[in-house]
Amino acid sequence: SDGLKLTSDTSGEIQLQSAGTTIATVDSTGITMASGKLIASTGPAFRATADGSAQTISASTYTKILYPTEVFDTNSDYDAATSVFTPTVAGYYQVSGNIYIAGSQSRTILALFKNGALYNYMSDTSVAMTNFTNSGSDLVEMNGTTDNIAVYVYTSQTSIGGPATRLWFSAHLARVA
């Protein structure tokens, strides 16, 4: 038969096979995929954008960026009202964010806050610029219960804004803990 087949031996190892080819092996250490075979992640993922209106921010202080429009949220872990992501699966998350700032400034920091405190800079632009986007990403370990993340900005400007293509925040589970 060419269908899926489970085989086991006295060592406790189980193999998943299709058409006589091993796809994965399960043993006491976990699941090992055969070369060239992938296991798809079903963990949380989201993408949120700005709604096109300007957001007033405080100059020269860290201010949370609002991303009120959910594009998708596979596990309902993103709160659009607060722009905070609290994943319900423990693991390592790839997090990305982007902002757009109109006007001139000499330094802009795009920062990731974890549990309400500065976690890491995703980007730090220390040159005078006018009307620009600033983006960055990071890999963050999250406990799957109380850990949460949000994107903040530090700039001399008092407003950020622009279309959804210029202001976005996203994350996905890269690997379970």
Side-chain angles (χ1 to χ4, degrees):
S1 140
D2 287 340
L4 289 176
K5 179 181 175 184
L6 286 175
T7 60
S8 64
D9 60 24
T10 57
S11 71
E13 183 178 276
I14 299 170
Q15 291 187 341
L16 176 61
Q17 298 176 339
S18 177
T21 301
T22 299
I23 299 169
T25 302
V26 180
D27 60 23
S28 62
T29 63
I31 299 174
T32 304
M33 300 304 291
S35 178
K37 307 297 181 190
L38 300 175
I39 187 166
S41 171
T42 58
F46 84 94
R47 179 177 171 82
T49 64
D51 60 9
S53 60
Q55 177 185 343
T56 301
I57 60 174
S58 298
S60 301
T61 187
Y62 287 102
T63 305
K64 182 171 32 171
I65 303 168
L66 301 178
Y67 300 95
T69 304
E70 277 187 11
V71 177
F72 60 85
D73 185 4
T74 64
N75 211 38
S76 299
D77 290 344
Y78 179 73
D79 184 342
T82 62
S83 297
V84 173
F85 179 58
T86 309
T88 54
V89 175
Y92 302 90
Y93 287 80
Q94 183 64 45
V95 181
S96 301
N98 193 72
I99 60 171
Y100 174 75
I101 298 178
S104 298
Q105 58 277 329
S106 58
R107 184 175 190 195
T108 298
I109 299 169
L110 185 64
L112 188 61
F113 275 53
K114 181 178 177 183
N115 302 326
L118 178 62
Y119 176 76
N120 203 11
Y121 288 0
M122 292 196 296
S123 67
D124 183 353
T125 305
S126 297
V127 296
M129 299 184 86
T130 303
N131 303 334
F132 74 101
T133 60
N134 203 350
S135 63
S137 65
D138 201 355
L139 187 64
V140 182
E141 183 177 11
M142 306 289 279
N143 65 15
T145 55
T146 57
D147 283 345
N148 64 75
I149 52 174
V151 177
Y152 282 65
V153 65
Y154 180 98
T155 183
S156 60
Q157 290 298 309
T158 57
S159 176
I160 60 172
T165 56
R166 290 187 173 179
L167 280 96
W168 48 264
F169 176 28
S170 65
H172 71 275
L173 177 65
R175 178 182 172 182
V176 295

